[in-house]
Amino acid sequence: MILQSLVRYYETLDKKRLAAKPGWCQAKISYALNLDSDGSLREIIPLKTEKMIGKKTVIIPQLMFVPEMVSRSSGISANFLCDNSKYMLGIDSDGCGKRVMECFNATKSRHLEILDQVAGDFAKAIRGFFDSWKPEEARNHPEINSLWDDITAGGNLIFCMGMKYAQDDEEIKKAWAKIMEKSQVEESHICLVTGKDTEIARIHTGIKGVQGSQSSGAALISFNEQAFTSYGKEQSYNAPVGRYAMFAYTTALNYLLSQRDYVFTFGDTTVVFWSEDGDENYQKAFCSLFEPEADNQEMMKGVFSALKKSQAIRISDIEMNPDQKFYILGLSPNAARLSVRFFYQDSFGNILNNLTQHYRRMEIRRPVWDKREFLGIYRTLQATVNQKANDKKPLPNLTSGMFQAILSNGRYPESLYSNTLIRIRSDQGSESAGDGKVTRARAAIIKAYLIKNKNGLEKGDDFVELNEGTMDLAYVLGRTFAVLEEIQEKANLNINATIRDRYFNSACTTPESIFPVLMRLKNSHIRKLDVGMSKYYERALTQLQGRVTYYPKRLNLEEQGRFILGYYHQVQKRYTKKEEK
C-alpha cells in the first residue's frame, strides 16, 4: 500500500509539473560553470538562494531538474551534466589527486560518449570543455581559486552558457532520452505495484533526507545477502517492482522529504505526510494541528468546535474537504536501509476527529503561566525523557506507537504510561522536571492513558480539574499528600526540601508504611500555624480522611497513576487560588 500510494502521489505531482520525468531527478545545485562557445570556462555563477528557516535567513542550494543521478557508495560512477567538483572539475579540497583524476576522467568519458554525435552549440561547448580542461591547473583560474573551499565542499555543479542551462537544451535532452532507451534491459516480471508485466528494477534509487541515514541516500527496498533471496532470486527480484514504479515512488518520497516545512522528526523517526490530490494546504493544516505553536491555539479551538458541530472545516480561510484521503509515513534509518515505523491512511476528517479525541483526553488544569491549551506530540513525548541525559530523544517504539494510537484513536502504548511513572519517580528531589514536580504533560499523559486504556477514571467526569466528589482511594490519598506538603511549606516558609522530595515515591507505592509517619509530622508542622490557618487545614484533612477507610499496603500501577493525578489537581488548585488573590 505504501508504494501504490506514493506512485499515485507522483502522478499527481507530475500533472502539476512539480516532479521530475522518468530519467530525470531533482538535485540541489550550488554553482554553474559558465562556458564560452569553444568550451573554455568563463566564470563560476553562484546558484544558492536565501530562505527563511524559523527566524534565521540561510543560504541554500537551488533545486533544479537534472538527468537522473547514479547511486554511489564507494566506487567511481559518473553522472551526466550534474555532479560535484571531483567529477566535474577534477579537484577536491586537497587539489588534484589520483582518485580525483579517475573521477574526472569517468565524467569526461561519459559526456564525450553521450554527446559525440550531438549537434548544437551547447553540446560542442561541453565537448570542448572536457577536451581542454586541465584539473592540475584549476588553481590558476581566478574565480575557482577565490571560491575554492565552497566549490570543493561537495555541492553539485552544472553547465550553463549565459542564462541557458545544459539540461534545458533540446538537442542534449534528446541525446539523454536515447541513452535511457538503450539502458540494459533487466528481467521482466509482474510488478507488485502496478500489476503489469514489465522490466523490474534491480537497484532502487536512494531516499535522502531521513534523519540519521546516509547523506548519499538509503534504500527502502534492498536485498544484499543470500539469506534474503527467495527461489534463487537475487537483488530486488524477490520483491519485483517495475522501473516506472521504482522511479515514481522514490521521486515522490524524495520530494516529500525535501519539503522540510512538512517533515516531523521525533527521536529516530522522520515523518512525512501528504494528501492524495497533492494540495499543500492539507499538509499545512496537519502541521498546525499535530504540533501546535503558541500562536495558533485559537485556530485549533475553531477547528475542533466546527468538528463537534459537524460544520465545514476552515483553516486560514480555506475550506478543507473532510473526505480527502490523507497519508502519514514514519521512517527510521537502519544501516544503509530504511525501516518503516508506521504507515497510516484515512480521510482527513477522520484524522482530525481522532486528533480531537486525543486532545480532549489530554485536557487538564494547567499552571497559570502556561498559555498553551493544546500540547503537541513532541512536548508530550519529551515528558518521558530524562532531561539530564545526553540523548534526549524518546524511545523509537514509543514514538511510533504514540503516533498510531493518536491517528487511529487506539490504545496508547503501555510504555508511554510506564515511562512517565518512571520519570516522575526518578525526578523527585532532582533539579530536572520542575524540581521534581508532577508536570502538566505527565499528569495529562496519566489522565489520557487511564481514560483510554483502563477506564480507570469515573465515567461522567473528565478529571480536567480537581474532582472533590470522588471517593477513589488512590486519588484521595494523592490529594491528602498535597495538603500535607502545603502545611509543611506554610509552617516552614524558607524550607529547601519538602516531604515530596523524601516521601513521595513511597507514599505513591506503599501508603500504609508512610502516611502514619506523615500524619505525625503534620502535627508538629500545624502547631506552627496561626489559629485560623490551622483550623482551615484541619478541616480540609478531616474531609479527606473521612474518605480514607484504610491505608493500602501497596498501590498497583493504575492506582499510582490516580494518586499522582489527585496530587497534581490539588496542587494546581492551591496555585490557582494564589493567582486569584
Side-chain angles (χ1 to χ4, degrees), residues 2-3 6 204-207 218-222 249-250 253 329 331 336-340:
I2 299 174
L3 301 188
L6 287 168
H204 293 212
T205 303
I207 306 301
L220 187 60
I221 298 175
S222 176
Y249 93 75
T250 55
L253 191 49
L329 174 63
L331 299 170
R337 294 164 180 77
L338 299 178
S339 298
V340 176

Side-chain angles (χ1 to χ4, degrees), residues 238-295:
N238 59 347
V241 176
R243 278 189 173 275
Y244 168 76
M246 182 278 292
F247 171 80
Y249 93 75
T250 55
T251 301
L253 191 49
N254 278 318
Y255 175 83
L256 287 167
L257 288 164
S258 70
Q259 295 182 296
R260 301 312 295 180
D261 291 340
Y262 306 135
V263 176
F264 289 149
T265 302
F266 298 104
D268 73 336
T269 304
T270 300
V271 183
V272 293
F273 37 90
W274 68 96
S275 65
E276 193 167 64
D277 68 347
D279 189 345
E280 283 192 19
N281 289 312
Y282 290 93
Q283 291 170 291
K284 291 178 183 177
F286 185 77
C287 275
S288 299
L289 296 169
F290 214 74
E291 199 56 47
E293 298 296 336
D295 57 358

Side-chain angles (χ1 to χ4, degrees), residues 45-283:
I45 301 177
L47 295 180
K48 295 183 179 181
T49 57
E50 290 186 355
K51 184 179 180 180
M52 287 292 295
I53 297 181
K55 297 181 179 179
K56 294 183 179 179
T57 301
V58 296
I59 308 297
I60 60 172
Q62 189 176 153
L63 279 173
M64 303 180 75
F65 291 118
V66 298
E68 188 174 0
M69 301 176 76
V70 297
S71 296
R72 275 197 294 256
S73 54
S74 57
I76 294 175
S77 188
N79 289 309
F80 182 57
L81 299 183
C82 174
D83 219 319
N84 58 45
S85 63
K86 293 180 183 179
Y87 285 87
M88 298 288 273
L89 294 171
I91 58 173
D92 63 6
S93 58
D94 297 325
C96 178
K98 179 182 177 181
R99 180 177 172 80
V100 176
M101 278 302 298
E102 290 175 354
C103 293
F104 175 75
N105 288 329
T107 304
K108 177 179 178 179
S109 298
R110 184 161 175 77
H111 281 76
L112 293 179
E113 178 185 354
I114 294 174
L115 301 176
D116 182 36
Q117 301 298 322
V118 180
D121 294 338
F122 221 138
K124 180 182 176 183
I126 294 174
R127 290 197 301 266
F129 169 79
F130 281 109
D131 284 333
S132 62
W133 179 253
K134 296 179 180 179
E136 61 275 9
E137 297 178 4
R139 280 280 191 184
N140 297 333
H141 195 288
E143 291 207 23
I144 289 182
N145 191 48
S146 63
L147 296 169
W148 186 274
D149 290 339
D150 204 19
I151 288 176
T152 59
N156 287 319
L157 313 175
I158 59 173
F159 293 113
C160 74
M161 291 181 69
M163 300 300 292
K164 187 177 179 181
Y165 299 114
Q167 64 269 22
D168 296 332
D169 184 82
E170 290 301 325
E171 295 299 321
I172 293 178
K173 286 165 72 174
K174 289 178 182 177
W176 178 244
K178 289 180 181 178
I179 294 297
M180 290 293 98
E181 291 173 3
K182 291 179 181 178
S183 62
Q184 184 179 359
V185 177
E186 302 290 348
E187 294 185 24
S188 292
H189 293 290
I190 299 297
C191 173
L192 294 178
V193 179
T194 63
K196 298 178 180 178
D197 190 350
T198 184
E199 182 185 351
I200 300 303
R202 186 175 67 91
I203 298 175
H204 293 212
T205 303
I207 306 301
K208 300 179 181 180
V210 175
Q211 179 179 270
S213 67
Q214 295 180 350
S215 59
S216 59
L220 187 60
I221 298 175
S222 176
F223 308 87
N224 69 334
E225 297 290 346
Q226 187 174 359
F228 305 146
T229 62
S230 299
Y231 301 100
K233 296 183 181 298
E234 299 180 351
Q235 288 286 0
S236 297
Y237 295 133
N238 59 347
V241 176
R243 278 189 173 275
Y244 168 76
M246 182 278 292
F247 171 80
Y249 93 75
T250 55
T251 301
L253 191 49
N254 278 318
Y255 175 83
L256 287 167
L257 288 164
S258 70
Q259 295 182 296
R260 301 312 295 180
D261 291 340
Y262 306 135
V263 176
F264 289 149
T265 302
F266 298 104
D268 73 336
T269 304
T270 300
V271 183
V272 293
F273 37 90
W274 68 96
S275 65
E276 193 167 64
D277 68 347
D279 189 345
E280 283 192 19
N281 289 312
Y282 290 93
Q283 291 170 291

Side-chain angles (χ1 to χ4, degrees), residues 338-405:
L338 299 178
S339 298
V340 176
R341 285 290 182 189
F342 58 84
F343 178 64
Y344 186 77
Q345 57 179 335
D346 204 342
S347 68
F348 193 68
N350 283 343
I351 290 174
L352 292 190
N353 274 316
N354 293 340
L355 197 55
T356 304
Q357 296 300 319
H358 166 71
Y359 282 128
R360 188 171 292 130
R361 288 190 292 270
M362 290 285 291
E363 186 180 358
I364 199 167
R365 164 69 75 172
R366 61 187 188 275
V368 291
W369 49 263
D370 191 346
K371 303 305 179 184
R372 292 178 183 272
E373 188 162 342
F374 304 97
L375 275 178
I377 311 307
Y378 175 79
R379 290 180 176 84
T380 300
L381 289 171
Q382 283 300 109
T384 68
V385 176
N386 181 2
Q387 297 303 316
K388 285 187 174 181
N390 292 329
D391 185 3
K392 295 182 174 61
K393 296 178 181 178
L395 295 175
N397 290 337
L398 174 56
T399 302
S400 58
M402 183 73 166
F403 259 92
Q404 292 180 74

Side-chain angles (χ1 to χ4, degrees), residues 449-463:
Y449 174 88
L450 292 176
I451 290 174
K452 185 64 181 177
N453 290 41
K454 297 294 184 181
N455 292 321
L457 297 177
E458 297 170 7
K459 293 182 179 179
D461 195 316
D462 55 12
F463 280 78

